Amino acid sequence: MPHRSDVSTDDLAALLAGVATGKTSVETAVSRLTSPPGNLQLSSADTESAGSGVPLPLTLDLDRQRRCGFAEVIYGAGKPAELIAEIMRRQRQAGQDSLATRVTVETAKAVAEIIPEVRYNPDARCLLAGAAANKTPSPLDMSATRLVRHAAVVTAGSTDAPVCEEAIETLHWMGIPFRSFNDIGVAGPDRLLAAVPELRQAAAVIVIAGMEGALPAAVGGHLSVPVFAVPTSVGYGATLGGLTPLMGMLSCCSSNVAVVNIDAGFKAAYLSGLVVKSPEFNRPENRNASDEEE
């Protein structure tokens, strides 16, 4: 194809963006590029594609909130800032709050330049827009609201904090009240025993642990609610990047323990949030005995 000296870089970028997003056919693009000089005409679809800054086709599931109760969550790893910002923009137009997980600091800064009202938690690697971005997560005040159904987030050690933060930000985005219990691993059994009475007040419990992954079984044996175990990639060489706690948790003999993927704080929080909001679990006869006594 001969070089078109009359085609500006911006026009060419707009035309290619239209092809990439499916708004312009390949045949149409070829026809425009091979037309006589001065006759390259861009359609509105081309210019919209160029102006959005979105380099890839984008198909959003904006109906998911109606079907599933919560909006589509953005997996941020590997996505350019422009794409994340465009997804958030469209979700906000649809009246939905946005949550993006596994977002790097650099990407978060770039998104914030496009959407200034976002909030970023670097420990959780979560980026939020909407109501959940207006304030940071705050644990439930049990002294004031004893009977509020909530989720509990438990960590075995302080090195599990990033996964814990991802879980907490997810619960916050879902509007689920939560409490956190940190650093109560099985190496100090008295710490867990001291927390059991308060853990029994939760409707669902997330247990985050690395090393040998023993904590969820110990917690589950004290409770009558679902326990979602999260193996983390914390530990020495024999933990194999989280495979050892994963296999230990999958082999757990506590019947109320279910296991999610390695470092998957988001998935455990999402499942816990569904339990807390479930009409079946909210029936009075399914409350913990400790709730009824209050």
Side-chain angles (χ1 to χ4, degrees):
M1 181 184 298
H3 175 63
R4 289 284 303 274
S5 59
D6 64 311
V7 179
S8 70
T9 301
D10 290 342
D11 286 345
L12 182 59
L15 187 62
L16 293 177
V19 174
T21 57
K23 295 181 178 180
T24 303
S25 69
V26 173
E27 293 78 10
T28 299
V30 172
S31 174
R32 291 175 185 167
L33 287 173
T34 56
S35 62
N39 287 346
L40 180 65
Q41 297 180 351
L42 299 178
S43 68
S44 59
D46 295 329
T47 55
E48 287 174 4
S49 298
S52 68
V54 180
L56 298 173
L58 180 58
T59 304
L60 291 183
D61 183 4
L62 294 175
D63 187 54
R64 188 175 302 187
Q65 183 166 290
R66 181 192 63 81
R67 298 192 322 269
C68 305
F70 299 97
E72 184 174 12
V73 176
I74 306 163
Y75 180 67
K79 286 186 173 67
E82 294 79 9
L83 183 58
I84 294 175
E86 179 65 9
I87 295 172
M88 288 185 164
R89 184 185 67 80
R90 296 192 191 181
Q91 287 182 323
R92 298 300 300 129
Q93 287 181 338
Q96 300 175 3
D97 290 348
S98 300
L99 169 65
T101 63
R102 307 302 167 95
V103 179
T104 65
V105 174
E106 293 76 14
T107 299
K109 289 180 179 178
V111 172
E113 292 179 358
I114 303 171
I115 307 177
E117 60 270 20
V118 296
R119 178 176 61 81
Y120 181 62
N121 181 333
D123 294 325
R125 293 183 293 169
C126 288
L127 187 67
L128 298 96
N134 295 332
K135 59 180 180 179
T136 57
S138 178
L140 186 64
D141 182 0
M142 294 299 289
S143 64
T145 52
R146 195 68 171 174
L147 291 178
V148 171
R149 286 180 59 82
H150 64 279
V153 185
V154 177
T155 62
S158 56
T159 48
D160 299 311
V163 179
C164 175
E165 286 292 316
E166 181 179 80
I168 287 175
E169 288 288 0
T170 302
L171 291 170
H172 177 65
W173 168 76
M174 297 175 77
I176 303 296
F178 71 92
R179 298 188 70 197
S180 58
F181 300 81
N182 300 315
D183 200 17
I184 58 172
V186 295
D190 55 311
R191 298 176 298 181
L192 172 57
L193 293 176
V196 165
E198 295 181 90
L199 288 173
R200 285 178 174 159
Q201 297 169 359
V205 178
I206 301 164
V207 181
I208 303 166
M211 299 293 185
E212 80 282 22
L215 185 59
V219 172
H222 289 283
L223 306 179
S224 61
V225 298
V227 173
F228 297 102
V230 187
T232 67
S233 50
V234 170
Y236 299 103
T239 57
L240 304 176
L243 287 176
T244 296
L246 172 64
M247 298 306 294
M249 292 175 183
L250 287 172
S251 304
C252 174
C253 62
S254 293
S255 303
N256 56 336
V257 174
V259 188
V260 299
N261 212 334
I262 298 169
D263 293 335
F266 159 75
K267 179 58 73 67
Y270 193 94
L271 292 170
S272 296
L274 292 179
V275 169
V276 173
K277 286 208 166 183
S278 168
E280 178 65 22
F281 279 91
N282 275 313
R283 292 171 60 185
E285 60 267 31
N286 288 333
R287 292 180 181 174
N288 282 330
S290 57
D291 289 343
E292 296 295 326
E293 294 169 0
E294 294 300 328

